[in-house]
Amino acid sequence: MTHTFFIAFSYILTALVIAGLVVRAVIDHRAQLRALAELESRGVGRRSRRG
Amino acid sequence: MIRELANPTRFMSLSGTLLPWVTGLAVLLLGIGLYMVWFVAPADYQQGETVKIMYIHVPAAWLSLFFYMIMASSALGTLVWRHPLADVSQKAAAPIGAAFTLICLVTGSLWGKPMWGTYWQWDARLTSMLVMLLIYLGILALWRAIEEPNRAARAVSILTLVGAVNVPIVKFSVDWWNTLHQPASVFRLGGPTIHTSMLVPLLIMAVAFTIIGVGLHLSGMRTEILRRRVRTLTILEAERLDAQAA
């Protein structure tokens, strides 16, 4: 294998791992926002403990 | 400042303002860093172009230790000061640190094959870095194993502080033992031994990686705060439904 292979593989892998972290962060954040909006639309709030 | 940020609502507001700037800065620095690596930095007189792996391997190694230190400080925040955001910070830092440790190990291995003739050697630096990855994975597993966030945070804090023993071992392994891995060449007494033409792109890439990491950490903390709100509201809803049924 040439040195180009090792260099390219290193950069591609790094890009994929960082992109994976970014995509995971975005998907997770949107999922929590959706869940929160759903709960709030059902009238669940911090004040529901009082009544 | 820290007391002000202890309020999750205030943290959400401040981090929401900061995050677009952090993202923009990360993209800008990464662009400059990659341009310098590919079009300005010279090839090494011994390693040739393979030295380009250094510009991602070394920042990843630094960030692996950096995020472990963030987790260890947050663990102290959880156990000693009971800072409301400390365990949120710990939980958000773990996957990022683990990812950078993985990048460090794999790129190191891919750099080692053409330079040393082997992908892996059980020397002190490589082995202690592998132990670091295993500690990160253990911490991630422990977060998943305990459902109640406060209990999980205390257990993870203890594991994190025990695992912190490995941080100086990673850093000084190349000084304490005879290793195949080269000794420190940037952060060392007597100054860096790398030529400026390579040191500048390396430092720019390191700052870019750090800003990316900080952005991901802020984003992860924001998501974790939302997750806890969802959990609290779900419990409140269940309690309300129970009360209505009774």
Side-chain angles (χ1 to χ4, degrees):
Chain A
M1 276 180 280
T2 63
H3 288 193
T4 311
F5 165 80
F6 293 105
I7 299 165
F9 194 1
S10 297
Y11 275 81
I12 290 168
L13 176 106
T14 303
L16 285 177
V17 172
I18 292 177
L21 282 173
V22 172
V23 169
R24 176 186 161 276
V26 171
I27 290 174
D28 200 10
H29 191 77
R30 284 185 182 167
Q32 298 311 318
L33 280 177
R34 248 195 329 270
L36 199 58
E38 203 175 299
L39 281 161
E40 281 170 355
S41 71
R42 290 207 299 266
V44 187
R46 289 184 185 277
R47 285 177 195 159
S48 55
R49 191 186 286 271
R50 292 179 207 159
Chain B
M1 175 75 172
I2 289 175
R3 192 175 290 179
E4 274 182 32
L5 286 177
N7 180 336
T9 308
R10 200 161 296 157
F11 173 82
M12 289 296 275
S13 163
L14 185 65
S15 60
T17 310
L18 275 176
L19 211 47
W21 292 97
V22 171
T23 308
L25 188 62
V27 171
L28 179 71
L29 283 172
L30 193 63
I32 295 171
L34 286 172
Y35 175 79
M36 291 193 79
V37 168
W38 289 98
F39 301 107
V40 180
D44 183 74
Y45 79 104
Q46 279 183 321
Q47 304 184 40
E49 294 293 343
T50 315
V51 76
K52 295 208 184 306
I53 297 174
M54 171 184 75
Y55 300 105
I56 45 176
H57 171 75
V58 174
W62 288 343
L63 280 191
S64 167
L65 297 181
F66 174 71
F67 274 100
Y68 204 91
M69 294 314 295
I70 286 182
M71 288 202 315
S73 320
S74 304
L76 282 176
T78 297
L79 292 175
V80 181
W81 298 290
R82 294 172 190 263
H83 192 291
L85 289 179
D87 45 322
V88 170
S89 163
Q90 261 196 93
K91 193 173 181 185
I96 306 167
F100 281 115
T101 311
L102 181 71
I103 291 173
C104 169
L105 281 168
V106 178
T107 55
S109 181
L110 289 166
W111 194 9
K113 179 64 180 167
M115 292 300 106
W116 299 337
T118 179
Y119 285 108
W120 185 259
Q121 184 76 32
W122 290 101
D123 88 350
R125 172 56 70 83
L126 276 67
T127 308
S128 56
M129 210 59 196
L130 179 63
V131 169
M132 177 68 88
L133 180 64
L134 295 176
I135 294 171
Y136 269 121
L137 295 179
I139 286 168
L140 286 169
L142 195 55
W143 273 119
R144 284 180 172 268
I146 304 172
E147 198 183 334
E148 209 280 303
N150 292 331
R151 271 188 59 219
R154 282 195 295 276
V156 169
S157 297
I158 292 165
L159 178 59
T160 302
L161 290 174
V162 171
V165 171
N166 192 44
V167 174
I169 295 177
V170 171
K171 166 72 183 144
F172 297 110
S173 54
V174 286
D175 303 321
W176 293 342
W177 290 284
N178 185 20
T179 58
L180 184 60
H181 194 285
Q182 67 171 63
S185 47
V186 179
F187 297 116
R188 59 187 286 281
L189 291 172
T193 53
I194 300 182
H195 191 265
T196 319
S197 58
M198 291 178 174
L199 182 63
V200 171
L202 176 62
L203 292 178
I204 292 174
M205 285 296 281
V207 175
F209 270 45
T210 307
I211 305 286
I212 291 170
V214 167
L216 285 166
H217 189 222
L218 281 177
S219 167
M221 285 180 72
R222 289 168 59 77
T223 304
E224 185 56 27
I225 289 169
L226 290 179
R227 196 189 326 278
R228 289 177 185 209
R229 278 187 192 162
V230 168
R231 186 175 186 276
T232 306
L233 292 183
T234 307
I235 292 169
L236 284 175
E237 187 182 35
E239 282 175 358
R240 195 184 64 186
L241 291 173
D242 273 356
Q244 279 173 359

PDB file of all heavy atoms in Angstrom, chain B residues 43-73:
ATOM      1  N   ALA B  43       6.724  18.761   3.186  1.00  0.00           N
ATOM      2  CA  ALA B  43       6.858  17.335   3.518  1.00  0.00           C
ATOM      3  C   ALA B  43       8.057  17.175   4.459  1.00  0.00           C
ATOM      4  O   ALA B  43       8.976  17.987   4.443  1.00  0.00           O
ATOM      5  CB  ALA B  43       7.078  16.537   2.238  1.00  0.00           C
ATOM      6  N   ASP B  44       8.017  16.144   5.285  1.00  0.00           N
ATOM      7  CA  ASP B  44       9.123  15.905   6.215  1.00  0.00           C
ATOM      8  C   ASP B  44      10.299  15.285   5.447  1.00  0.00           C
ATOM      9  O   ASP B  44      10.082  14.498   4.524  1.00  0.00           O
ATOM     10  CB  ASP B  44       8.647  14.964   7.323  1.00  0.00           C
ATOM     11  CG  ASP B  44       9.707  14.728   8.367  1.00  0.00           C
ATOM     12  OD1 ASP B  44       9.945  15.648   9.171  1.00  0.00           O
ATOM     13  OD2 ASP B  44      10.309  13.634   8.363  1.00  0.00           O
ATOM     14  N   TYR B  45      11.518  15.631   5.851  1.00  0.00           N
ATOM     15  CA  TYR B  45      12.680  15.138   5.094  1.00  0.00           C
ATOM     16  C   TYR B  45      12.861  13.621   5.229  1.00  0.00           C
ATOM     17  O   TYR B  45      13.461  12.987   4.381  1.00  0.00           O
ATOM     18  CB  TYR B  45      13.955  15.885   5.529  1.00  0.00           C
ATOM     19  CG  TYR B  45      14.578  15.414   6.813  1.00  0.00           C
ATOM     20  CD1 TYR B  45      15.738  14.616   6.808  1.00  0.00           C
ATOM     21  CD2 TYR B  45      14.026  15.747   8.049  1.00  0.00           C
ATOM     22  CE1 TYR B  45      16.309  14.168   7.981  1.00  0.00           C
ATOM     23  CE2 TYR B  45      14.585  15.308   9.221  1.00  0.00           C
ATOM     24  CZ  TYR B  45      15.726  14.531   9.195  1.00  0.00           C
ATOM     25  OH  TYR B  45      16.288  14.080  10.356  1.00  0.00           O
ATOM     26  N   GLN B  46      12.313  13.027   6.307  1.00  0.00           N
ATOM     27  CA  GLN B  46      12.405  11.574   6.460  1.00  0.00           C
ATOM     28  C   GLN B  46      11.079  10.878   6.114  1.00  0.00           C
ATOM     29  O   GLN B  46      11.067   9.861   5.449  1.00  0.00           O
ATOM     30  CB  GLN B  46      12.764  11.226   7.914  1.00  0.00           C
ATOM     31  CG  GLN B  46      14.247  11.345   8.209  1.00  0.00           C
ATOM     32  CD  GLN B  46      14.560  10.926   9.634  1.00  0.00           C
ATOM     33  OE1 GLN B  46      13.802  11.213  10.556  1.00  0.00           O
ATOM     34  NE2 GLN B  46      15.679  10.248   9.814  1.00  0.00           N
ATOM     35  N   GLN B  47       9.970  11.460   6.616  1.00  0.00           N
ATOM     36  CA  GLN B  47       8.671  10.793   6.487  1.00  0.00           C
ATOM     37  C   GLN B  47       7.947  11.117   5.179  1.00  0.00           C
ATOM     38  O   GLN B  47       6.946  10.484   4.871  1.00  0.00           O
ATOM     39  CB  GLN B  47       7.762  11.201   7.643  1.00  0.00           C
ATOM     40  CG  GLN B  47       8.350  10.923   9.007  1.00  0.00           C
ATOM     41  CD  GLN B  47       7.367  11.270  10.111  1.00  0.00           C
ATOM     42  OE1 GLN B  47       6.170  11.015   9.986  1.00  0.00           O
ATOM     43  NE2 GLN B  47       7.855  11.847  11.174  1.00  0.00           N
ATOM     44  N   GLY B  48       8.387  12.140   4.491  1.00  0.00           N
ATOM     45  CA  GLY B  48       7.700  12.569   3.275  1.00  0.00           C
ATOM     46  C   GLY B  48       6.332  13.119   3.611  1.00  0.00           C
ATOM     47  O   GLY B  48       6.124  13.746   4.660  1.00  0.00           O
ATOM     48  N   GLU B  49       5.345  12.849   2.743  1.00  0.00           N
ATOM     49  CA  GLU B  49       3.992  13.391   2.932  1.00  0.00           C
ATOM     50  C   GLU B  49       3.245  12.713   4.080  1.00  0.00           C
ATOM     51  O   GLU B  49       2.216  13.217   4.539  1.00  0.00           O
ATOM     52  CB  GLU B  49       3.184  13.259   1.632  1.00  0.00           C
ATOM     53  CG  GLU B  49       3.701  14.099   0.469  1.00  0.00           C
ATOM     54  CD  GLU B  49       3.564  15.604   0.700  1.00  0.00           C
ATOM     55  OE1 GLU B  49       2.790  16.016   1.585  1.00  0.00           O
ATOM     56  OE2 GLU B  49       4.260  16.366   0.000  1.00  0.00           O
ATOM     57  N   THR B  50       3.749  11.561   4.533  1.00  0.00           N
ATOM     58  CA  THR B  50       3.055  10.836   5.611  1.00  0.00           C
ATOM     59  C   THR B  50       2.925  11.691   6.868  1.00  0.00           C
ATOM     60  O   THR B  50       2.047  11.459   7.698  1.00  0.00           O
ATOM     61  CB  THR B  50       3.807   9.539   5.940  1.00  0.00           C
ATOM     62  OG1 THR B  50       4.137   8.912   4.722  1.00  0.00           O
ATOM     63  CG2 THR B  50       2.962   8.589   6.755  1.00  0.00           C
ATOM     64  N   VAL B  51       3.792  12.701   6.978  1.00  0.00           N
ATOM     65  CA  VAL B  51       3.739  13.584   8.155  1.00  0.00           C
ATOM     66  C   VAL B  51       2.390  14.312   8.239  1.00  0.00           C
ATOM     67  O   VAL B  51       2.022  14.814   9.301  1.00  0.00           O
ATOM     68  CB  VAL B  51       4.919  14.590   8.123  1.00  0.00           C
ATOM     69  CG1 VAL B  51       4.682  15.723   7.115  1.00  0.00           C
ATOM     70  CG2 VAL B  51       5.187  15.154   9.509  1.00  0.00           C
ATOM     71  N   LYS B  52       1.622  14.340   7.132  1.00  0.00           N
ATOM     72  CA  LYS B  52       0.315  15.015   7.154  1.00  0.00           C
ATOM     73  C   LYS B  52      -0.628  14.351   8.166  1.00  0.00           C
ATOM     74  O   LYS B  52      -1.571  14.994   8.641  1.00  0.00           O
ATOM     75  CB  LYS B  52      -0.315  15.012   5.762  1.00  0.00           C
ATOM     76  CG  LYS B  52       0.496  15.846   4.752  1.00  0.00           C
ATOM     77  CD  LYS B  52      -0.349  16.410   3.665  1.00  0.00           C
ATOM     78  CE  LYS B  52       0.459  17.155   2.623  1.00  0.00           C
ATOM     79  NZ  LYS B  52       1.321  18.212   3.173  1.00  0.00           N
ATOM     80  N   ILE B  53      -0.383  13.091   8.468  1.00  0.00           N
ATOM     81  CA  ILE B  53      -1.233  12.412   9.469  1.00  0.00           C
ATOM     82  C   ILE B  53      -1.058  13.071  10.841  1.00  0.00           C
ATOM     83  O   ILE B  53      -1.985  13.102  11.647  1.00  0.00           O
ATOM     84  CB  ILE B  53      -0.911  10.895   9.512  1.00  0.00           C
ATOM     85  CG1 ILE B  53      -1.228  10.255   8.158  1.00  0.00           C
ATOM     86  CG2 ILE B  53      -1.698  10.190  10.613  1.00  0.00           C
ATOM     87  CD1 ILE B  53      -0.819   8.791   8.041  1.00  0.00           C
ATOM     88  N   MET B  54       0.133  13.641  11.082  1.00  0.00           N
ATOM     89  CA  MET B  54       0.395  14.300  12.369  1.00  0.00           C
ATOM     90  C   MET B  54      -0.634  15.386  12.673  1.00  0.00           C
ATOM     91  O   MET B  54      -1.027  15.560  13.829  1.00  0.00           O
ATOM     92  CB  MET B  54       1.791  14.923  12.331  1.00  0.00           C
ATOM     93  CG  MET B  54       2.104  15.809  13.527  1.00  0.00           C
ATOM     94  SD  MET B  54       3.709  16.603  13.397  1.00  0.00           S
ATOM     95  CE  MET B  54       3.384  17.888  12.179  1.00  0.00           C
ATOM     96  N   TYR B  55      -1.089  16.103  11.615  1.00  0.00           N
ATOM     97  CA  TYR B  55      -1.959  17.267  11.831  1.00  0.00           C
ATOM     98  C   TYR B  55      -3.364  16.881  12.318  1.00  0.00           C
ATOM     99  O   TYR B  55      -4.127  17.764  12.716  1.00  0.00           O
ATOM    100  CB  TYR B  55      -2.048  18.109  10.546  1.00  0.00           C
ATOM    101  CG  TYR B  55      -0.703  18.622  10.096  1.00  0.00           C
ATOM    102  CD1 TYR B  55      -0.046  18.055   9.002  1.00  0.00           C
ATOM    103  CD2 TYR B  55      -0.064  19.641  10.791  1.00  0.00           C
ATOM    104  CE1 TYR B  55       1.206  18.509   8.594  1.00  0.00           C
ATOM    105  CE2 TYR B  55       1.185  20.093  10.393  1.00  0.00           C
ATOM    106  CZ  TYR B  55       1.816  19.523   9.301  1.00  0.00           C
ATOM    107  OH  TYR B  55       3.054  19.972   8.912  1.00  0.00           O
ATOM    108  N   ILE B  56      -3.708  15.599  12.224  1.00  0.00           N
ATOM    109  CA  ILE B  56      -4.981  15.175  12.835  1.00  0.00           C
ATOM    110  C   ILE B  56      -4.727  14.269  14.045  1.00  0.00           C
ATOM    111  O   ILE B  56      -5.479  14.292  15.012  1.00  0.00           O
ATOM    112  CB  ILE B  56      -5.927  14.481  11.833  1.00  0.00           C
ATOM    113  CG1 ILE B  56      -5.184  13.470  10.973  1.00  0.00           C
ATOM    114  CG2 ILE B  56      -6.649  15.492  10.977  1.00  0.00           C
ATOM    115  CD1 ILE B  56      -6.096  12.699  10.035  1.00  0.00           C
ATOM    116  N   HIS B  57      -3.637  13.498  13.974  1.00  0.00           N
ATOM    117  CA  HIS B  57      -3.334  12.572  15.064  1.00  0.00           C
ATOM    118  C   HIS B  57      -3.027  13.318  16.368  1.00  0.00           C
ATOM    119  O   HIS B  57      -3.584  12.994  17.421  1.00  0.00           O
ATOM    120  CB  HIS B  57      -2.140  11.683  14.658  1.00  0.00           C
ATOM    121  CG  HIS B  57      -1.606  10.847  15.768  1.00  0.00           C
ATOM    122  ND1 HIS B  57      -2.257   9.719  16.230  1.00  0.00           N
ATOM    123  CD2 HIS B  57      -0.479  10.973  16.528  1.00  0.00           C
ATOM    124  CE1 HIS B  57      -1.548   9.190  17.211  1.00  0.00           C
ATOM    125  NE2 HIS B  57      -0.473   9.929  17.417  1.00  0.00           N
ATOM    126  N   VAL B  58      -2.164  14.317  16.287  1.00  0.00           N
ATOM    127  CA  VAL B  58      -1.733  15.021  17.504  1.00  0.00           C
ATOM    128  C   VAL B  58      -2.886  15.826  18.125  1.00  0.00           C
ATOM    129  O   VAL B  58      -3.134  15.694  19.338  1.00  0.00           O
ATOM    130  CB  VAL B  58      -0.487  15.899  17.217  1.00  0.00           C
ATOM    131  CG1 VAL B  58      -0.117  16.755  18.416  1.00  0.00           C
ATOM    132  CG2 VAL B  58       0.688  15.017  16.808  1.00  0.00           C
ATOM    133  N   PRO B  59      -3.652  16.646  17.343  1.00  0.00           N
ATOM    134  CA  PRO B  59      -4.797  17.326  17.969  1.00  0.00           C
ATOM    135  C   PRO B  59      -5.801  16.346  18.587  1.00  0.00           C
ATOM    136  O   PRO B  59      -6.354  16.618  19.655  1.00  0.00           O
ATOM    137  CB  PRO B  59      -5.442  18.095  16.808  1.00  0.00           C
ATOM    138  CG  PRO B  59      -4.331  18.339  15.858  1.00  0.00           C
ATOM    139  CD  PRO B  59      -3.462  17.112  15.948  1.00  0.00           C
ATOM    140  N   ALA B  60      -6.021  15.197  17.928  1.00  0.00           N
ATOM    141  CA  ALA B  60      -6.963  14.212  18.483  1.00  0.00           C
ATOM    142  C   ALA B  60      -6.448  13.697  19.830  1.00  0.00           C
ATOM    143  O   ALA B  60      -7.225  13.528  20.783  1.00  0.00           O
ATOM    144  CB  ALA B  60      -7.166  13.059  17.503  1.00  0.00           C
ATOM    145  N   ALA B  61      -5.137  13.467  19.922  1.00  0.00           N
ATOM    146  CA  ALA B  61      -4.547  12.984  21.184  1.00  0.00           C
ATOM    147  C   ALA B  61      -4.703  14.047  22.272  1.00  0.00           C
ATOM    148  O   ALA B  61      -5.087  13.729  23.413  1.00  0.00           O
ATOM    149  CB  ALA B  61      -3.070  12.669  20.972  1.00  0.00           C
ATOM    150  N   TRP B  62      -4.429  15.294  21.927  1.00  0.00           N
ATOM    151  CA  TRP B  62      -4.587  16.368  22.915  1.00  0.00           C
ATOM    152  C   TRP B  62      -6.031  16.466  23.389  1.00  0.00           C
ATOM    153  O   TRP B  62      -6.300  16.624  24.570  1.00  0.00           O
ATOM    154  CB  TRP B  62      -4.151  17.724  22.324  1.00  0.00           C
ATOM    155  CG  TRP B  62      -2.675  17.850  22.141  1.00  0.00           C
ATOM    156  CD1 TRP B  62      -1.710  17.073  22.710  1.00  0.00           C
ATOM    157  CD2 TRP B  62      -1.970  18.813  21.337  1.00  0.00           C
ATOM    158  NE1 TRP B  62      -0.460  17.488  22.300  1.00  0.00           N
ATOM    159  CE2 TRP B  62      -0.595  18.553  21.466  1.00  0.00           C
ATOM    160  CE3 TRP B  62      -2.378  19.864  20.522  1.00  0.00           C
ATOM    161  CZ2 TRP B  62       0.379  19.305  20.810  1.00  0.00           C
ATOM    162  CZ3 TRP B  62      -1.419  20.619  19.876  1.00  0.00           C
ATOM    163  CH2 TRP B  62      -0.056  20.346  20.018  1.00  0.00           C
ATOM    164  N   LEU B  63      -6.981  16.369  22.438  1.00  0.00           N
ATOM    165  CA  LEU B  63      -8.390  16.505  22.812  1.00  0.00           C
ATOM    166  C   LEU B  63      -8.883  15.320  23.640  1.00  0.00           C
ATOM    167  O   LEU B  63      -9.769  15.479  24.476  1.00  0.00           O
ATOM    168  CB  LEU B  63      -9.264  16.680  21.574  1.00  0.00           C
ATOM    169  CG  LEU B  63      -9.271  18.096  21.013  1.00  0.00           C
ATOM    170  CD1 LEU B  63     -10.350  18.263  19.978  1.00  0.00           C
ATOM    171  CD2 LEU B  63      -9.473  19.132  22.107  1.00  0.00           C
ATOM    172  N   SER B  64      -8.300  14.162  23.398  1.00  0.00           N
ATOM    173  CA  SER B  64      -8.644  13.001  24.216  1.00  0.00           C
ATOM    174  C   SER B  64      -8.346  13.307  25.686  1.00  0.00           C
ATOM    175  O   SER B  64      -9.179  13.068  26.574  1.00  0.00           O
ATOM    176  CB  SER B  64      -7.828  11.801  23.732  1.00  0.00           C
ATOM    177  OG  SER B  64      -7.901  10.772  24.667  1.00  0.00           O
ATOM    178  N   LEU B  65      -7.156  13.857  25.947  1.00  0.00           N
ATOM    179  CA  LEU B  65      -6.771  14.205  27.320  1.00  0.00           C
ATOM    180  C   LEU B  65      -7.581  15.411  27.822  1.00  0.00           C
ATOM    181  O   LEU B  65      -7.996  15.448  28.979  1.00  0.00           O
ATOM    182  CB  LEU B  65      -5.274  14.516  27.394  1.00  0.00           C
ATOM    183  CG  LEU B  65      -4.335  13.358  27.044  1.00  0.00           C
ATOM    184  CD1 LEU B  65      -2.883  13.788  27.171  1.00  0.00           C
ATOM    185  CD2 LEU B  65      -4.579  12.148  27.936  1.00  0.00           C
ATOM    186  N   PHE B  66      -7.799  16.392  26.933  1.00  0.00           N
ATOM    187  CA  PHE B  66      -8.545  17.605  27.293  1.00  0.00           C
ATOM    188  C   PHE B  66      -9.960  17.242  27.782  1.00  0.00           C
ATOM    189  O   PHE B  66     -10.409  17.717  28.830  1.00  0.00           O
ATOM    190  CB  PHE B  66      -8.603  18.523  26.061  1.00  0.00           C
ATOM    191  CG  PHE B  66      -9.446  19.754  26.223  1.00  0.00           C
ATOM    192  CD1 PHE B  66      -9.041  20.802  27.028  1.00  0.00           C
ATOM    193  CD2 PHE B  66     -10.649  19.896  25.525  1.00  0.00           C
ATOM    194  CE1 PHE B  66      -9.812  21.951  27.153  1.00  0.00           C
ATOM    195  CE2 PHE B  66     -11.421  21.041  25.646  1.00  0.00           C
ATOM    196  CZ  PHE B  66     -11.011  22.068  26.461  1.00  0.00           C
ATOM    197  N   PHE B  67     -10.642  16.363  27.019  1.00  0.00           N
ATOM    198  CA  PHE B  67     -12.000  16.013  27.418  1.00  0.00           C
ATOM    199  C   PHE B  67     -12.020  15.145  28.672  1.00  0.00           C
ATOM    200  O   PHE B  67     -12.969  15.201  29.447  1.00  0.00           O
ATOM    201  CB  PHE B  67     -12.781  15.384  26.257  1.00  0.00           C
ATOM    202  CG  PHE B  67     -13.417  16.436  25.412  1.00  0.00           C
ATOM    203  CD1 PHE B  67     -12.837  16.839  24.227  1.00  0.00           C
ATOM    204  CD2 PHE B  67     -14.562  17.080  25.837  1.00  0.00           C
ATOM    205  CE1 PHE B  67     -13.398  17.861  23.478  1.00  0.00           C
ATOM    206  CE2 PHE B  67     -15.135  18.106  25.089  1.00  0.00           C
ATOM    207  CZ  PHE B  67     -14.543  18.484  23.909  1.00  0.00           C
ATOM    208  N   TYR B  68     -10.936  14.377  28.866  1.00  0.00           N
ATOM    209  CA  TYR B  68     -10.899  13.618  30.121  1.00  0.00           C
ATOM    210  C   TYR B  68     -10.750  14.576  31.295  1.00  0.00           C
ATOM    211  O   TYR B  68     -11.375  14.391  32.348  1.00  0.00           O
ATOM    212  CB  TYR B  68      -9.772  12.564  30.129  1.00  0.00           C
ATOM    213  CG  TYR B  68     -10.133  11.484  31.114  1.00  0.00           C
ATOM    214  CD1 TYR B  68     -10.836  10.363  30.720  1.00  0.00           C
ATOM    215  CD2 TYR B  68      -9.878  11.652  32.473  1.00  0.00           C
ATOM    216  CE1 TYR B  68     -11.260   9.420  31.637  1.00  0.00           C
ATOM    217  CE2 TYR B  68     -10.294  10.714  33.393  1.00  0.00           C
ATOM    218  CZ  TYR B  68     -10.978   9.600  32.967  1.00  0.00           C
ATOM    219  OH  TYR B  68     -11.417   8.679  33.887  1.00  0.00           O
ATOM    220  N   MET B  69      -9.941  15.629  31.129  1.00  0.00           N
ATOM    221  CA  MET B  69      -9.775  16.613  32.192  1.00  0.00           C
ATOM    222  C   MET B  69     -11.085  17.361  32.452  1.00  0.00           C
ATOM    223  O   MET B  69     -11.408  17.670  33.604  1.00  0.00           O
ATOM    224  CB  MET B  69      -8.645  17.608  31.862  1.00  0.00           C
ATOM    225  CG  MET B  69      -7.257  16.986  31.823  1.00  0.00           C
ATOM    226  SD  MET B  69      -6.908  15.903  33.216  1.00  0.00           S
ATOM    227  CE  MET B  69      -6.926  17.065  34.565  1.00  0.00           C
ATOM    228  N   ILE B  70     -11.835  17.641  31.390  1.00  0.00           N
ATOM    229  CA  ILE B  70     -13.161  18.270  31.571  1.00  0.00           C
ATOM    230  C   ILE B  70     -14.058  17.336  32.404  1.00  0.00           C
ATOM    231  O   ILE B  70     -14.730  17.760  33.336  1.00  0.00           O
ATOM    232  CB  ILE B  70     -13.825  18.568  30.202  1.00  0.00           C
ATOM    233  CG1 ILE B  70     -13.135  19.764  29.546  1.00  0.00           C
ATOM    234  CG2 ILE B  70     -15.323  18.838  30.360  1.00  0.00           C
ATOM    235  CD1 ILE B  70     -13.736  20.167  28.214  1.00  0.00           C
ATOM    236  N   MET B  71     -14.013  16.039  32.055  1.00  0.00           N
ATOM    237  CA  MET B  71     -14.852  15.082  32.794  1.00  0.00           C
ATOM    238  C   MET B  71     -14.413  14.983  34.254  1.00  0.00           C
ATOM    239  O   MET B  71     -15.244  14.902  35.160  1.00  0.00           O
ATOM    240  CB  MET B  71     -14.788  13.698  32.142  1.00  0.00           C
ATOM    241  CG  MET B  71     -15.520  13.639  30.823  1.00  0.00           C
ATOM    242  SD  MET B  71     -15.988  11.985  30.345  1.00  0.00           S
ATOM    243  CE  MET B  71     -14.542  11.055  30.685  1.00  0.00           C
ATOM    244  N   ALA B  72     -13.088  14.984  34.492  1.00  0.00           N
ATOM    245  CA  ALA B  72     -12.588  14.877  35.868  1.00  0.00           C
ATOM    246  C   ALA B  72     -12.974  16.123  36.674  1.00  0.00           C
ATOM    247  O   ALA B  72     -13.400  16.001  37.835  1.00  0.00           O
ATOM    248  CB  ALA B  72     -11.075  14.677  35.862  1.00  0.00           C
ATOM    249  N   SER B  73     -12.867  17.324  36.063  1.00  0.00           N
ATOM    250  CA  SER B  73     -13.274  18.555  36.773  1.00  0.00           C
ATOM    251  C   SER B  73     -14.769  18.510  37.052  1.00  0.00           C
ATOM    252  O   SER B  73     -15.220  18.888  38.136  1.00  0.00           O
ATOM    253  CB  SER B  73     -12.988  19.801  35.941  1.00  0.00           C
ATOM    254  OG  SER B  73     -11.785  19.689  35.284  1.00  0.00           O
TER     255      SER B  73
END
